[in-house]
């Protein structure tokens, strides 16, 4: 089959929705994407090394809050979505979409091991006319420096025999307004044919596709988005520390500032950064910049400020306990929320883990409540979530609101008179001498 014929076959299959889609990595990015493809009539196979995930999918059970169980069960029952651990089945796919994690090493350098393994599996199954898309957040140059050579190692030529693009995921776990369907999709291919093929594919499931000139531009777009947030959160976290020293309510300051209809966007302080993007992506950018002889001082400074916030939370716990003539050592401290953000079960990079570690080192006795995280295992330490009413009845020495889940009974907590450190402004407009704000 000629290159033009392979391309046309792929285009025709996408337009007819007969293209077989393979999604590698069935987490917060991959599973919603796979379900969206299946809802739009495509035949989808979800690939993951975790057999528990593929088994749950095949049973129609959703383990991702953003994927309604009814929607997952419907496409599974209709035969349009299945889960598998058999990477060899990638050979039968027309599209391979890679959505695997890209964490950091302890040295804050990029860890592309998951991407490399996924691309190795794709390369082993690669055939003419296939479209391979990387969605995993990474540094500019990953697609053409790492992925492309691996795929071309068997002799096929990118943008001629097969197609390759980068399209950054833009998932916001727990966001009920912006979902896979209505978040614009950025697409950058290694050439025009790849860009057009990827744009056509995503255009069949999302409302808007934005094409950019290269994979590097698409990779940088994602890093800009998350570095923008990390830097601004770092600035407002530093402002919170400053306001505390000056006896000014930082939350009131932010609420007043955001009434300006132009030139200002509100960001909020907190116990630290969490999730799969914002705490990690700026380091990908600064690492790549250093490889090119550029030092990202502004970005790295924000990282230092944000990473220091969990320890500041512990200092506020010490301040609160001091008013009762108690120390952290020997005190019973109860955490409300350990997930990285409100109303999700995602624990990746959660600042609560650092708060817990620091409190334990200082000799605190810890319990927690989080209906989204029934069990917490961090290293050798393991805890089970308590019912909040029972936790309040046990009268801990201090309660720390690390994650402001909507289901928490904050009125009961305040009424109890227990010392409270509120890191999220969950108790806004509530006034009590027992409340210590960030």
């Amino acid at each position: 089959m000629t290159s033009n014929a392979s391309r046309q076959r792929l285009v025709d299959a996408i337009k007819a929705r007969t293209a077989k889609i393979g999604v590698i990595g069935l987490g917060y990015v991959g599973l919603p994407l796979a379900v969206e493809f299946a809802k739009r009539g495509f035949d989808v196979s979800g690939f993951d090394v975790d057999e528990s995930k593929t088994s749950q999918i095949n049973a129609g059970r959703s383990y991702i809050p953003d994927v309604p169980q009814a929607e997952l069960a419907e496409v599974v029952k209709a035969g349009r979505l299945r889960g598998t651990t058999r990477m060899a089945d990638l050979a039968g796919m027309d599209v391979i979409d890679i959505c695997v994690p890209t964490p950091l090493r302890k040295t804050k350098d990029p860890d592309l091991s998951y991407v490399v393994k996924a691309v190795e599996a794709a390369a082993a199954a690669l055939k003419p006319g296939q479209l391979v898309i990387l969605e995993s957040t990474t540094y500019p140059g990953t697609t053409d420096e790492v992925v492309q050579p691996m795929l071309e190692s068997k002799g096929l030529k990118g943008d001629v025999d097969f197609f390759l693009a980068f399209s950054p995921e833009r998932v916001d776990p727990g966001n009920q307004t912006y979902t896979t369907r209505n978040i614009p999709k950025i697409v950058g291919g290694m050439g025009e044919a790849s860009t057009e093929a990827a744009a056509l594919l995503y255009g069949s499931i999302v409302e808007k596709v934005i094409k950019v000139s290269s994979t590097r531009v698409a990779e940088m777009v994602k890093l800009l988005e998350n570095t923008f947030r990390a830097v601004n959160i770092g600035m407002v976290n530093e402002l919170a520390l400053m306001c505390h020293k000056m006896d000014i309510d930082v939350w009131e300051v932010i609420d007043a500032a955001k009434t300006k209809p132009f030139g200002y966007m509100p960001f909020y302080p907190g116990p630290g950064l969490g999730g799969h993007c914002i705490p990690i992506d700026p380091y990908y950018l600064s690492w790549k910049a250093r490889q090119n002889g550029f030092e990202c001082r502004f970005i790295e400074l924000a990282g230092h400020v944000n990473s220091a916030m969990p320890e500041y939370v512990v200092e506020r716990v010490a301040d609160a306990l001091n008013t009762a003539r108690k120390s952290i050592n020997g005190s019973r401290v109860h955490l409300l929320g350990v997930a990285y953000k409100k109303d999700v079960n995602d624990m990746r990079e959660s600042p609560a883990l650092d708060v817990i570690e620091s409190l334990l080192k200082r000799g605190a006795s810890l319990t927690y409540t989080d209906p989204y995280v029934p069990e917490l295992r961090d290293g050798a330490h393991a805890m089970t979530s308590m019912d909040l009413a029972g936790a309040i009845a046990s009268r801990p020495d201090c309660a720390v609101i690390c994650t402001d889940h909507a289901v928490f009974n904050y009125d009961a907590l305040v009424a109890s008179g227990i010392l409270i450190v509120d890191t999220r402004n969950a108790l806004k407009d509530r006034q009590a001498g027992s409340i210590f704000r960030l």
Side-chain angles (χ1 to χ4, degrees):
M1 185 179 291
T2 66
S3 299
N4 286 338
S6 295
R7 178 184 177 185
Q8 191 58 50
R9 185 189 66 78
L10 176 64
V11 167
D12 291 344
I14 291 173
K15 288 181 177 179
R17 308 206 175 190
T18 57
K20 295 182 181 298
I21 313 293
V23 178
I24 305 179
L26 299 174
Y28 283 83
V29 177
L31 184 57
L33 183 68
V35 170
E36 197 64 41
F37 275 123
K39 284 168 57 179
R40 303 300 162 186
F42 289 96
D43 183 279
V44 185
S45 296
F47 295 81
D48 203 290
V49 296
D50 187 346
E51 189 173 352
S52 67
K53 289 182 179 178
T54 59
S55 296
Q56 288 184 76
I57 289 170
N58 291 332
R61 294 194 301 268
S62 175
Y63 48 87
I64 300 293
D66 290 347
V67 178
Q69 182 134 317
E71 290 187 7
L72 175 63
E74 180 181 354
V75 293
V76 170
K77 184 178 180 180
R80 292 198 301 272
L81 174 62
R82 69 202 57 81
T84 181
T85 59
R86 285 175 45 84
M87 293 298 170
D89 291 349
L90 288 168
M93 301 297 110
D94 298 299
V95 177
I96 300 173
D97 207 319
I98 300 172
C99 305
V100 296
T102 47
L104 291 171
R105 297 189 178 95
K106 291 183 179 180
T107 56
K108 301 295 186 182
D109 292 340
D111 179 0
L112 293 183
S113 59
Y114 295 98
V115 170
V116 169
K117 288 179 181 177
V119 177
E120 285 176 344
L126 193 65
K127 63 183 182 182
Q130 274 185 325
L131 168 62
V132 180
I133 304 172
L134 178 63
E135 290 209 14
S136 306
T137 303
T138 186
Y139 59 83
T142 301
T143 305
D144 57 17
E145 294 172 3
V146 178
V147 179
Q148 181 182 342
M150 292 178 65
L151 294 177
E152 290 184 336
S153 63
K154 298 276 181 79
L156 295 180
K157 180 72 173 174
D159 210 48
V160 177
D161 300 316
F162 70 92
F163 310 101
L164 174 63
F166 183 83
S167 181
E169 59 86 5
R170 285 173 148 180
V171 172
D172 184 19
N175 193 321
Q176 301 301 309
T177 302
Y178 294 106
T179 62
T180 300
R181 177 69 178 167
N182 62 5
I183 297 174
K185 206 80 174 79
I186 304 294
V187 172
M190 65 173 292
E192 183 179 355
S194 296
T195 300
E196 292 300 327
L200 178 65
L201 175 73
Y202 286 122
S204 63
I205 66 166
V206 303
E207 294 177 359
K208 186 174 184 180
V209 175
I210 296 94
K211 293 180 284 188
V212 296
S213 60
S214 68
T215 58
R216 288 179 178 241
V217 170
E219 289 160 341
M220 183 62 91
V221 167
K222 174 62 174 178
L223 295 187
L224 169 61
E225 292 170 358
N226 287 335
T227 302
F228 172 80
R229 286 188 55 77
V231 168
N232 279 281
I233 292 171
M235 183 274 291
V236 82
N237 274 334
E238 189 167 61
L239 184 70
L241 304 182
M242 184 193 312
C243 284
H244 175 64
K245 293 288 186 182
M246 300 172 69
D247 196 25
I248 297 172
D249 185 343
V250 67
W251 306 100
E252 184 180 1
V253 172
I254 295 170
D255 283 346
K258 72 181 183 182
T259 62
K260 185 179 181 181
F262 59 91
Y264 180 79
M265 178 183 294
F267 289 85
Y268 300 94
L273 295 182
H276 65 296
C277 286
I278 299 176
I280 293 174
D281 295 359
Y283 288 104
Y284 270 72
L285 184 55
S286 62
W287 177 85
K288 186 62 176 179
R290 286 196 301 273
Q291 309 308 305
N292 289 271
F294 186 84
E295 184 179 357
C296 297
R297 289 176 292 177
F298 202 68
I299 294 171
E300 292 185 358
L301 177 60
H304 290 311
V305 172
N306 290 328
S307 63
M309 290 306 292
E311 191 61 35
Y312 176 67
V313 171
V314 175
E315 291 176 11
R316 294 298 286 145
V317 173
D319 291 341
L321 289 170
N322 189 55
T323 64
R325 300 191 177 189
K326 295 180 180 179
S327 67
I328 292 178
N329 192 1
S331 289
R332 294 179 301 115
V333 179
H334 187 79
L335 274 62
L336 277 75
V338 293
Y340 93 87
K341 67 177 290 189
K342 180 178 182 177
D343 299 341
V344 303
N345 63 356
D346 196 343
M347 287 295 298
R348 286 174 294 179
E349 307 295 326
S350 174
L353 297 175
D354 291 325
V355 172
I356 289 170
E357 182 180 0
S358 184
L359 286 170
L360 288 173
K361 284 182 178 179
R362 296 196 187 195
S365 175
L366 295 184
T367 52
Y368 83 97
T369 297
D370 193 322
Y372 295 94
V373 186
E375 292 185 350
L376 177 61
R377 299 186 183 279
D378 185 30
H381 194 72
M383 293 188 289
T384 301
S385 176
M386 294 178 62
D387 174 73
L388 183 55
I392 293 172
S394 72
R395 303 297 301 175
D397 297 300
C398 183
V400 184
I401 302 174
C402 282
T403 314
D404 52 335
H405 293 314
V407 297
F408 289 147
N409 187 343
Y410 295 112
D411 289 334
L413 179 64
V414 174
S416 72
I418 295 169
L419 295 173
I420 306 167
V421 174
D422 181 5
T423 73
R424 300 284 190 175
N425 203 29
L427 306 181
K428 180 181 179 180
D429 299 330
R430 294 176 174 88
Q431 300 299 322
S434 59
I435 299 174
F436 292 77
R437 306 185 194 278
L438 195 66

